[in-house]
Amino acid sequence: FTVTVAKTDRREATTSAIVSVARSLNPPVVAIDVAVQTKYNVGAKLSLRSDLDVGATDAGVAFAWSCTVSPGGEAVDLTVPGLLLTSTENSNLVVAPGVLQAGNHYTFRVSVAASDGVGFSEVTLEINTCPQDGSVVVTPETGTALQTTFVISSFGWYDEDLPLQHKYGFEMEGTRSALSDFQGSQSVDAVLPSSPDSFPVFVEVADSYFAIGSARAVVTVDAYVPTASLAEDSSTMLAEMTSKGDITAIHALVDVL
């Protein structure tokens, strides 16, 4: 049985209890491992283990796994090639990464048939969705290498699995460079390198299960023309950043140089 409590802001929590149903007086009693987590990312490998009651063995027992998906309640064909890494007739079931759809709930049932009857157990699992509906904004949109401090900000992300973590960076000629690790801050200050063409900055946003959503914005950074010499100007800027304790800006300046 599953109970879901939802709030008007779309946040919800779900918990489940496993029930075994008997068809005769002495059927095999089976349960799907209660230690299994109830939410998985799309790329995770899903492993389910069925446990027979104390004293029972797999000998003379036939296992059969099935699955339904909601919304809709439709049956999932577990025999589709590539869906499983095990047989539906094993005591354990392993679902391949990336084959279940984000946002769906899947109910897995294992039926166990023995000479004394048939028993079964079910568990419902949710496939996590990544943070959504967010954007990234860079201010200003145009600046100069070494001189302009760009503020890259992350806005509007929704996900029920808090807290959210933000990672910032930029991409030039197909190569990504990070401006931060994953962090709670929704903005980062950065000194960016120059380029003859505009290039994207990005934010990656991870929920508590580390499902990641991302967004991009475009920035234009002109080449820096030193007032005296590049070495002197760089030394001055580095000293200013050091006095402020701005480690992120220092790393960005070093990358630019």
Side-chain angles (χ1 to χ4, degrees):
F1 292 88
T2 300
V3 60
T4 299
V5 179
K7 301 186 75 173
T8 56
D9 60 1
R10 297 193 294 174
R11 289 184 296 169
E12 65 178 37
T14 300
T15 187
S16 300
I18 298 170
V19 177
S20 299
V21 179
R23 293 183 180 175
S24 67
L25 294 178
N26 297 295
V29 178
V30 62
I32 298 175
D33 188 357
V34 294
V36 69
Q37 67 189 72
T38 58
K39 182 177 281 192
Y40 287 80
N41 288 337
V42 170
K45 183 174 70 173
L46 192 159
S47 300
L48 301 175
R49 186 180 74 233
S50 62
D51 292 327
L52 291 173
D53 62 344
V54 176
T57 68
D58 290 1
V61 173
F63 294 87
W65 288 87
S66 60
C67 179
T68 57
V69 59
S70 61
E74 299 176 354
V76 177
D77 184 1
L78 297 181
T79 64
V80 172
L83 184 62
L84 299 181
L85 301 180
T86 56
S87 166
T88 57
E89 298 176 355
N90 285 1
S91 60
N92 300 330
L93 188 77
V94 181
V95 181
V99 298
L100 302 181
Q101 298 299 309
N104 285 346
H105 291 72
Y106 293 86
T107 299
F108 290 89
R109 170 186 287 207
V110 59
S111 299
V112 181
S115 58
D116 290 332
V118 177
F120 73 86
S121 182
E122 292 183 345
V123 65
T124 299
L125 307 175
E126 179 182 356
I127 305 304
N128 190 25
T129 56
C130 65
Q132 299 179 44
D133 301 331
S135 62
V136 61
V137 175
V138 56
T139 306
E141 296 179 353
T142 301
T144 303
L146 300 180
Q147 283 187 324
T148 304
T149 298
F150 296 90
V151 181
I152 304 171
S153 303
S154 179
F155 292 102
W157 295 93
Y158 169 77
D159 195 284
E160 64 184 24
D161 301 310
L162 304 177
L164 299 183
Q165 299 287 314
H166 307 258
K167 179 180 179 179
Y168 304 88
F170 63 92
E171 183 176 322
M172 295 183 68
E173 298 179 350
T175 300
R176 283 192 158 200
S177 299
L179 294 169
S180 74
D181 294 324
F182 280 100
Q183 59 184 29
S185 176
Q186 291 182 255
S187 66
V188 68
D189 294 345
V191 177
L192 298 173
S194 65
S195 172
D197 302 310
S198 298
F199 58 91
V201 295
F202 65 84
V203 63
E204 295 179 343
V205 182
D207 66 12
S208 60
Y209 287 87
F210 220 73
I212 297 175
S214 63
R216 289 184 169 199
V218 175
V219 66
T220 301
V221 184
D222 297 325
Y224 172 71
V225 179
T227 57
S229 71
L230 180 59
E232 290 180 16
D233 288 356
S234 300
S235 179
T236 300
M237 284 184 263
L238 185 59
E240 291 176 353
M241 294 173 183
T242 302
S243 66
K244 296 178 182 178
D246 193 342
I247 302 302
T248 299
I250 292 172
H251 287 169
L253 176 61
V254 171
D255 288 341
V256 171
L257 296 174

